[in-house]
Amino acid sequence: MNTVSPEFNLSDADGESWTLDRLVKPDRHLALVSVDPSCGPCRALLPELAAWLGRNDGSPLDVVIVSRDAAAT
């Protein structure tokens, strides 16, 4: 399923600004994963997300984690 994200402008832990246009790259898919550090199922998902972020298999998928604080990194 393809879903269009609304425009956004979010800051990372270093204060750097990120927008949807900045994250979307030609010929790549983007998965925006929203997690809440106080959510048990979200915390359980973090190791799998870390594996996705750490892979280097040539996949055309970029995974970006969106959280309300740095606890989800």
Side-chain angles (χ1 to χ4, degrees):
M1 171 169 68
N2 291 325
T3 304
V4 177
S5 171
E7 290 295 325
F8 58 82
N9 188 339
L10 300 171
S11 296
D12 65 16
D14 297 324
E16 190 168 351
S17 180
W18 292 89
T19 63
L20 182 61
D21 286 340
R22 186 172 175 199
L23 292 170
V24 172
K25 297 176 184 143
D27 301 321
R28 299 203 49 88
H29 299 282
L30 176 64
L32 294 173
V33 182
S34 178
V35 298
D36 184 328
S38 65
C39 167
C42 293
R43 284 193 311 272
L45 180 62
L46 290 177
E48 187 170 342
L49 289 174
W52 288 1
L53 292 170
R55 80 191 184 309
N56 189 12
D57 61 2
S59 170
L61 175 65
D62 293 323
V63 178
V64 175
I65 299 172
V66 179
S67 179
R68 63 184 168 96
D69 65 29
T73 58

